[in-house]
Amino acid sequence: MQRKGAADKVPAQRITAIYPGSFDPITNGHLDLIERGSKIFDELIVAVLRNPEKDPLFSVEERVEMLNEVTQHCANVSVDTFDGLLVDYAVRNRARVILRGVRAISDFENELQMALMNRKLDPNLETVFMMPAVAYTFLSSHLVREVCKLGGDVRSLVPPLVEARLRAKAVSL
Ligand code: PNS
C-alpha cells in the first residue's frame, strides 16, 4: 500500500520561515538555531525588530551587518528588518512559520504567550520552537553584553567578528 502523500503526489510546498528577534548582538546560540532552521526550511529570514523603545548596544544597521557576515555560509538564509506586527511582516513575505528558540523552561511562558498571540492574530501562521545545542542553553545577548562590559571573556559565546565589535564598543563606552 502506498503511503499518503508519497511519490507522485502534489509537489511539496516551499516553506519560508522567519526567525525574528533583537539580536543585540547575535550569539552562538542564535547562530546555532539559524543553522538548524536553515536545514529544515526552504528559506529562512532572520528579521531584526526595529524597536525605538529599546536602548540597544548596536544599531539595527550594525546588527544586520553582523548577521549577514556570520550567516554567509547558509545559502537559504537572508537578513532583514521589520517593524509593526510580526504577523503582518510574515504575510508580506509569504512565510508560514515563525521560528523561535527555547533554551529552558524559563523561556517557555513568554514564548507560549507570544506564539498564542500570533496565532490569534493569524491562525495560518505556525510557531516552531527549536532547542539550541546544550552548550548554549545559558546564553543570551543580555548576558554577553554585561560580561563584555565588565571585562569578561566572551570569545566562546559569540562569533569572532561579534567579539571584535563588542570589544571595540566596550573601549569606546
Ligand atoms: O529577541 P527578542 O527580543 O526576544 O524578540 C522579540 C520579538 C522581536 C520576536 C517580539 O518582540 C516581536 O515579535 N515583536 C513584534 C511586535 C509584535 O508582533 N507583537 C505582537 C505579538 S507577540
Side-chain angles (χ1 to χ4, degrees), residues 4-19:
K4 195 176 162 199
D8 53 6
K9 288 258 177 179
V10 206
Q13 272 190 328
R14 284 180 62 80
I15 298 184
T16 298
I18 293 176
Y19 180 31

Side-chain angles (χ1 to χ4, degrees), residues 20-22 49 54 82 84-86 100 114 117-118 121:
S22 307
L49 176 66
K54 276 197 178 175
F82 77 105
L85 283 178
L86 177 60
R100 290 289 286 173
M114 282 204 287
M117 176 56 80
N118 283 328
L121 294 169

Side-chain angles (χ1 to χ4, degrees), residues 98-116:
I98 295 170
L99 173 64
R100 290 289 286 173
V102 179
R103 293 162 297 188
I105 294 290
S106 50
D107 279 343
F108 190 69
E109 197 172 330
N110 184 41
E111 291 300 330
L112 183 70
Q113 260 187 346
M114 282 204 287
L116 293 179

